[in-house]
Amino acid sequence: MAASKNGKSKAAGSPTSPTPASAKEVKPNLHQQSHETQRYGEIIKLPNGLSEKVCKQSVALLNQCLADTITLRDMYKKHHWQVVGPTFNQLHLMYDQHYEGQVLLVDIVAERIQLLGGVALAMAPDIAEATKIARPPRGREPAAVQLRRLAEAHEQIIISARDAAEQVDKSGDAGSNDVFVSNVLRTNELQVWFLTEHLVAASPVTA
């Protein structure tokens, strides 16, 4: 213990003691300056056996797919919350199952972009600017219209995924080709099949 001027001992670490260096080391610095370590569109060359040109082409195709997939994912959640009608329970559950499938796709596509040395789109304003899927109204729509919107979005992604798969295959990017075919294409083909079966003539789901 250290002695004070009046002769009384003062415990170490008391309120009047100076802050130890170790405390400064663990104190959060909440005044970090904002800066980008990698700009969107730039490629950081990684030892993946692909040229920077090939990676840049693949990243652009993957980011378009990512923007459309995020949009479809969120459309599923919107419809999950807003669906009404005699098939409410069935559609409510199916929409959420398909949403989870799209969540998985989003992560697969985004991680493929990053491992190619690119930057994955992430924030809602950026997704809204990039997506090719039409924006639905904020309000509630009949179940049949929800299904139609989802089916159209799936078809758009399917067409784009087939085209992208062909392009990256020609450039030698087998990994991205696998993502487009095994993940994006097959998931969307399966989900759109489940959706459209609710719109056959015998279905009670009409607008």
Side-chain angles (χ1 to χ4, degrees):
M1 292 187 179
S4 62
K5 290 182 179 180
N6 58 13
K8 295 181 179 180
S9 61
K10 182 172 62 175
S14 65
T16 57
S17 300
T19 303
S22 58
K24 293 179 181 179
E25 291 174 359
V26 297
K27 182 180 179 181
N29 181 356
L30 302 178
H31 304 284
Q32 303 286 349
Q33 296 299 311
S34 175
H35 67 283
E36 291 182 332
T37 56
Q38 181 182 353
R39 292 179 181 175
Y40 179 76
E42 289 183 347
I43 297 295
I44 301 300
K45 186 66 180 74
L46 299 173
N48 53 28
L50 297 171
S51 70
E52 184 176 332
K53 180 181 178 181
V54 167
C55 289
K56 191 168 186 176
Q57 178 196 35
S58 294
V59 164
L61 293 167
L62 287 161
N63 259 320
Q64 183 61 62
C65 179
L66 179 61
D68 294 337
T69 301
I70 289 175
T71 302
L72 177 58
R73 177 202 68 186
D74 293 347
M75 194 186 299
Y76 264 115
K77 186 57 74 172
K78 166 183 164 62
H79 294 337
H80 167 79
W81 291 326
Q82 297 176 357
V83 66
V84 292
T87 56
F88 167 81
N89 190 58
Q90 188 175 1
L91 291 179
H92 184 74
L93 294 175
M94 183 182 70
Y95 288 164
D96 223 26
Q97 290 171 352
H98 286 196
Y99 168 84
E100 293 298 333
Q102 295 297 322
V103 167
L104 179 60
L105 272 185
V106 165
D107 206 42
I108 291 172
V109 175
E111 288 186 352
R112 181 67 192 173
I113 291 167
Q114 296 297 141
L115 69 84
L116 287 174
V119 175
L121 288 170
M123 300 305 295
D126 299 321
I127 300 303
E129 288 180 4
T131 186
K132 294 181 179 179
I133 295 175
R135 178 180 176 178
R138 291 184 179 183
R140 178 181 286 176
E141 295 182 295
V145 178
Q146 291 180 339
L147 290 163
R148 187 262 298 169
R149 286 190 186 280
L150 291 166
E152 288 176 349
H154 276 292
E155 186 175 30
Q156 188 162 341
I157 291 174
I158 287 168
I159 292 170
S160 296
R162 287 180 181 143
D163 179 64
E166 186 176 345
Q167 290 188 56
V168 297
D169 186 55
K170 288 179 179 178
S171 69
D173 184 0
S176 294
N177 174 269
D178 185 53
V179 168
F180 281 121
V181 175
S182 299
N183 301 114
V184 179
L185 188 57
R186 290 180 179 172
T187 297
N188 281 277
E189 286 179 334
L190 181 65
Q191 289 187 353
V192 78
W193 173 45
F194 274 72
L195 288 176
T196 52
E197 287 300 309
H198 287 269
L199 292 172
V200 297
S203 172
V205 181
T206 56

